[in-house]
Amino acid sequence: MYVLLILMILLLVAAIVYVGLRAIRWLRTMFDFRRTYVLWIVLVLLPLLFVVGDFLPASGFARAVTLTGGVSIGLFLYALLFTAAADLLALLLRLTPLSRRPAFRSRKTLRVVGCAVLALSVCVSVYGVVNAATIDRTTYSVSFENGADDGMRIALISDLHLGSEIGSAQMCRVVEEVNACEADIVVIGSPLYWHNICGSVRNVLDRFYGKVENGSLSGRKLYFVFQGAAPEKWMLEAGEYTMKRFAALYGMTYGGMATNKNEATKLGKNI
């Protein structure tokens, strides 16, 4: 455990040094950059704000601190990725006749590459921030053997990546989306991790509580898809109990749980 932690810290330090040295070299192509300690402080402290924000009292300021730290981490990782890609491309070009041209090693080329890396990192980070809370809605056409699909709508909720910045407000938007599509059925799926519902789905249930009004999904039927490699009976019962309580709290009728293809087929016939 400690060896893994030490290796992770060493990798992080190496990544910071790598990006920092490349950034210094790039900045010096544009002006006489001497106060390199400023860059090192920014590279170290800004990402730490993500952790610092969790220790501050809940407020708009704490959220802003956490968000700044999270965006800084994302920006750093993208800068690391694009810098490494640029270095790899330069290494491959060294094997070609292009490497003999003066422009290959010129300050202007380095300046352009550095600007491109920065622009790509910023654009991808901004795109991620803007779209982080976006709910993608995809429509599929399905049919049932018993012909019960006439006018029926099913809402399948998946891939809700909740965290310090995307939480209860996102759950309210999910409820709005489900209500907007006028779904008759809501399906929640979870793999069985550590003898119970997985953490991401548990997070969804937790973020609903207290923020989403009771009965907000009334008139709908909830089905639970719960699958694991070799689950024991008590694990499945625990998961189903939780989903039954969740359905009742928000006004849904619990339709049942499927843990394999045969059970899912049987549930489908009863729809």
Side-chain angles (χ1 to χ4, degrees), residues 81-118:
L81 174 65
F82 292 129
T83 300
D87 280 345
L88 178 61
L89 179 60
L91 182 62
L92 294 175
L93 288 175
R94 289 177 186 275
L95 304 176
T96 69
L98 291 175
S99 62
R100 302 190 186 97
R101 296 184 179 183
F104 184 79
R105 299 177 181 273
S106 68
R107 290 168 62 88
K108 182 178 180 180
T109 300
L110 179 58
R111 188 183 309 132
V112 171
V113 172
C115 289
V117 168
L118 179 61

Side-chain angles (χ1 to χ4, degrees), residues 142 147-154 181-184:
V142 297
D149 58 319
D150 185 24
M152 180 177 293
R153 296 189 177 186
I154 301 174
C181 71
E182 299 179 346
D184 302 288

Side-chain angles (χ1 to χ4, degrees), residues 48-240:
L48 285 178
L49 292 178
F50 184 76
V51 178
V52 172
D54 289 337
F55 291 93
L56 297 175
S59 63
F61 175 73
R63 178 178 170 81
V65 169
T66 304
L67 181 60
T68 301
V71 172
S72 299
I73 292 174
L75 185 61
F76 171 78
L77 292 176
Y78 283 123
L80 174 63
L81 174 65
F82 292 129
T83 300
D87 280 345
L88 178 61
L89 179 60
L91 182 62
L92 294 175
L93 288 175
R94 289 177 186 275
L95 304 176
T96 69
L98 291 175
S99 62
R100 302 190 186 97
R101 296 184 179 183
F104 184 79
R105 299 177 181 273
S106 68
R107 290 168 62 88
K108 182 178 180 180
T109 300
L110 179 58
R111 188 183 309 132
V112 171
V113 172
C115 289
V117 168
L118 179 61
L120 283 171
S121 301
V122 171
C123 288
V124 176
S125 298
V126 170
Y127 176 82
V129 171
V130 172
N131 290 277
T134 301
I135 299 175
D136 292 328
R137 179 173 166 180
T138 306
T139 303
Y140 300 94
S141 296
V142 297
S143 60
F144 296 88
E145 293 179 358
N146 59 6
D149 58 319
D150 185 24
M152 180 177 293
R153 296 189 177 186
I154 301 174
L156 173 61
I157 303 172
S158 65
D159 294 324
L160 296 177
H161 301 283
L162 304 177
S164 58
E165 298 307 312
I166 302 177
S168 300
Q170 182 78 339
M171 291 299 94
C172 293
R173 286 192 286 270
V174 169
V175 172
E176 291 173 0
E177 282 290 330
V178 172
N179 288 331
C181 71
E182 299 179 346
D184 302 288
I185 294 174
V186 176
V187 180
I188 297 180
S190 169
L192 199 151
Y193 284 163
W194 286 101
H195 323 301
N196 212 319
I197 297 171
C198 71
S200 57
V201 174
R202 178 70 67 180
N203 223 357
V204 170
L205 306 185
D206 290 344
R207 296 304 178 106
F208 256 82
Y209 191 75
K211 295 295 183 180
V212 179
E213 293 185 6
N214 294 359
S216 296
L217 295 170
S218 60
R220 293 167 176 79
K221 184 173 288 188
L222 173 68
Y223 287 92
F224 183 40
V225 180
F226 198 28
Q227 204 277 328
E232 296 183 23
K233 183 180 178 181
W234 68 268
M235 301 176 192
L236 300 177
E237 290 175 345
E240 186 168 39

